[in-house]
Each structure stands twice: as structure tokens, then as C-alpha cells.
Amino acid sequence: MTTAPVMLGEIKRVVTLTVDGREVRVPEGSTILQAMKAEGTPEQADTPTLCWAPNLTPINACRVCVVEVEGSRVLVPSCARTVEDGMQVRTDSEKVRHSRRMVLELLASSVDMSQAGADVARWMQDYGVDADRYGPPAPPAAAGERDRRHAGHHHAPDGSHAETVAQPVKVDNDLYVRDYSRCILCYKCVKACGTDAQFTFAISAAGRGFDARIATEFDAELPDSACVYCGNCIGVCPTGALKSVREHELREADDWHPEEETVTTTICSFCGVGCNLELHVQQGSIVNVTSPADHSVTHGHLCVKGRFGFQHVQNL
């Protein structure tokens, strides 16, 4: 009688570290953030993150997840720093809290964070964020003005206003809008469009310093770029800078009701791959489609048909 081989997967050594005085054991190669989410307390698992996502490689852009590691000269990003045997980690020291508060304050002073989600609003409250102390926001840029700036040659601020990235919403297609007044340059959309999901490379970061922005190749209009409208950039955006046209229109009409939203999981019927879809429904109408980040087929990513091809369901 023959038996099938037992697939054990990769065997990893277990390392032991101390997080806020509590011993934690996790597989070698885990990050500090993974250790806190898997074996930490609820407070440690709730470490703030903006540029991290479970279905993307660590980006190290926002630095809001920093922690103290004994022996390290500076605070380290918990989303990317791998654990070491005997590591001593502090996640809630005054140094950590001050750094997280400053990051959130600087972001909130220059970016519209009002659609960043309930977790972000709660973190801002918990860390005592006061973006108003930087002064009133500067006037918004005209349409296309930030795209035309010569990087690094902006005017010197006079201190009377908080410089912002405010600008008109870009609506140039029927599927999604780009509201870069909400963009924190977390680079998640760039990673999803590139090596982490789609391999289209339609967008990237352009400019330097405060003039940095997300742009298409040669600054082309989105319909003229390499974009295939998969919408994976929308799926990972943490602040509402990228959203479906449907959601944008409902918000503009003051008809957006997230408190009434229900989510139903189904399987996409467009092809035989077997992608799981999460249908977000408000007032009897589908408003968005996502996919679970832990789904073995999609890993949270979809194609244009799966994410946007739902209107026929509602055609009566």
C-alpha cells in the first residue's frame, strides 16, 4: 500500500523575545508587529499602522508603528524589523508615544484624514493628536498645480499657515477617483500596482520632499497610462485618497451610510479562478467590492471585472 507524502511546510526555529516585560515566542523571521499581533496583548496588537498591510511587503514609509528595541540607537519600525532571540522591546514608552503622536500630527496637519477610518480616528484621540497647533491650513492648490511643480523649489513657508496637499479631486474615468488631498504617500498603491500584486507599474512616486506625489508615467492622464483598472490600489489605500466612483458620488451627495453597511462573501462568477468577493451593501445596493486579504486565491487583490463588474446584479 502506498501513502501520500505528508507536507509539513517550512520548519522554522522558535525565538524568544520580551515585549513590555512579557516573554513571547514566535517563529524565526517574524516581524515585531507580527509577534505582537499573534502573541501580544490586545493593546500591543492594536499598534497603529498606515503603510502596512497583511497582503503587502513592509514599506517602512509612515513610521507610526515604531517601537523601542534595547540596544538600538533609534526607534525601529515594528512592521519590518525581524525578531531576534533575546530581543527586548518596549511598545508604549513616552519616547514611542511622542514619536507616534508627532507622525500623526504632521500627517493630519497637511492631509485630510477624515476618511481614514475609525481606527485612525481612535489612535489620534488615544495619542492626543492636536494638528491645529500648526495653524490654519494653507489655501488648496489649483487643479494640476502640484503635478507641475519643480520638485524642491517650492516657496519658503512664513509660519502663518500649515502647508497642505489640498487639491481638487481627479475624476477622469468611470471606475475610480483620485483624491490626493487625502494622500499620505504610504506607497501601498504603488506596491499593489507593482511587484506585490498586479505587475502593471502604472503609478509611482514623483518629486521630492513636500512636492512628492503619486503620478503616472510621464504624468499622463490615467486613461492614457498603463493602468488596467484592477482597483487594487483602492483596496489598500488607508485614507480614502483612492475610492470607487460609486462611493465618491454617494459621499458627495451626503448619502454614504457606513453604519448600515453589510458585507456578504461570495465567489466571483466571471471566470473559474475562484476569487472570493466581499459585497459591501448599503440601502439594498452594492457600493463596493473587496476580497479577503487572507484568501488563498486573491490575497485581497482582484481584477477589473471582480472589483467593478457588479452593476449587472442590480439591473432590474
Side-chain angles (χ1 to χ4, degrees), residues 3-316:
T3 58
V6 177
M7 306 303 292
L8 296 176
E10 185 180 1
I11 299 176
K12 294 185 178 181
R13 185 171 68 97
V14 174
V15 300
T16 302
L17 65 154
T18 302
V19 182
D20 295 331
R22 178 172 170 270
E23 195 172 274
V24 171
R25 290 168 56 83
V26 292
E28 186 178 32
S30 302
T31 64
I32 297 174
L33 184 63
Q34 288 173 331
M36 291 190 292
K37 287 185 176 296
E39 301 294 336
T41 64
E43 293 76 20
Q44 293 164 352
D46 190 43
T47 294
T49 59
L50 287 170
C51 71
W52 175 85
N55 56 346
L56 298 177
T57 54
I59 300 167
N60 301 325
C62 74
R63 298 285 165 158
V64 77
C65 72
V66 291
V67 296
E68 271 194 274
V69 172
E70 188 172 302
S72 177
R73 181 177 60 86
V74 296
L75 298 175
V76 303
S78 63
C79 67
R81 179 65 179 268
T82 54
V83 298
E84 300 172 9
D85 212 19
M87 177 182 276
Q88 302 279 335
V89 179
R90 290 184 289 276
T91 70
D92 199 41
S93 66
E94 182 52 38
K95 187 176 181 180
V96 168
R97 293 188 65 84
H98 179 75
S99 178
R100 291 177 180 175
R101 181 170 61 252
M102 285 295 297
V103 169
L104 291 170
E105 273 190 351
L106 290 171
L107 286 175
S109 72
S110 60
V111 178
D112 184 352
M113 301 284 281
S114 61
Q115 294 181 15
D119 283 342
V120 177
R122 176 170 51 80
W123 293 330
M124 287 186 175
Q125 184 175 10
D126 291 346
Y127 285 95
V129 169
D130 180 19
D132 293 338
R133 70 189 184 94
Y134 294 97
E145 179 184 341
R146 285 186 56 81
D147 297 332
R148 293 189 297 267
R149 284 183 182 175
H150 186 182
H153 290 71
H154 54 76
H155 66 277
D158 60 11
S160 62
H161 293 82
E163 189 63 60
T164 74
V165 297
Q167 57 191 292
V169 178
K170 295 183 177 182
V171 185
D172 53 12
N173 65 89
D174 296 330
L175 299 180
Y176 69 92
V177 304
R178 295 173 289 162
D179 186 357
Y180 287 144
S181 64
R182 305 179 188 277
C183 178
I184 61 171
L185 282 178
C186 68
Y187 292 85
K188 290 165 77 173
C189 60
V190 175
K191 298 290 285 185
C193 186
T195 55
D196 275 22
Q198 193 62 29
F199 285 85
T200 297
F201 303 99
I203 56 175
S204 188
R208 299 192 302 274
F210 200 81
D211 291 331
R213 61 197 181 277
I214 301 299
T216 58
E217 65 272 26
F218 303 110
D219 229 5
E221 293 295 326
L222 199 65
D224 299 326
S225 73
C227 178
V228 296
Y229 297 97
C230 63
N232 290 324
C233 54
I234 300 175
V236 298
C237 180
T239 60
L242 301 169
K243 62 174 72 72
S244 67
V245 167
R246 178 63 173 158
E247 178 177 341
H248 174 70
E249 291 174 344
L250 288 173
R251 286 183 180 274
E252 288 295 295
D254 198 25
D255 195 23
W256 183 251
H257 305 282
E259 70 283 353
E260 301 176 11
E261 186 171 288
T262 60
V263 181
T264 301
T265 302
T266 185
I267 298 177
C268 183
S269 60
F270 279 108
C271 74
V273 172
C275 299
N276 269 19
L277 304 182
E278 293 176 325
L279 306 182
H280 298 250
V281 177
Q282 294 182 16
Q283 298 183 331
S285 176
I286 300 173
V287 295
N288 277 318
V289 176
T290 59
S291 186
D294 60 354
H295 182 45
S296 60
V297 176
T298 67
H299 302 288
H301 306 299
L302 293 168
C303 73
V304 61
K305 293 182 292 185
R307 192 177 300 276
F308 296 113
F310 59 82
Q311 292 301 330
H312 68 284
V313 178
Q314 301 169 145
N315 291 338
L316 301 178

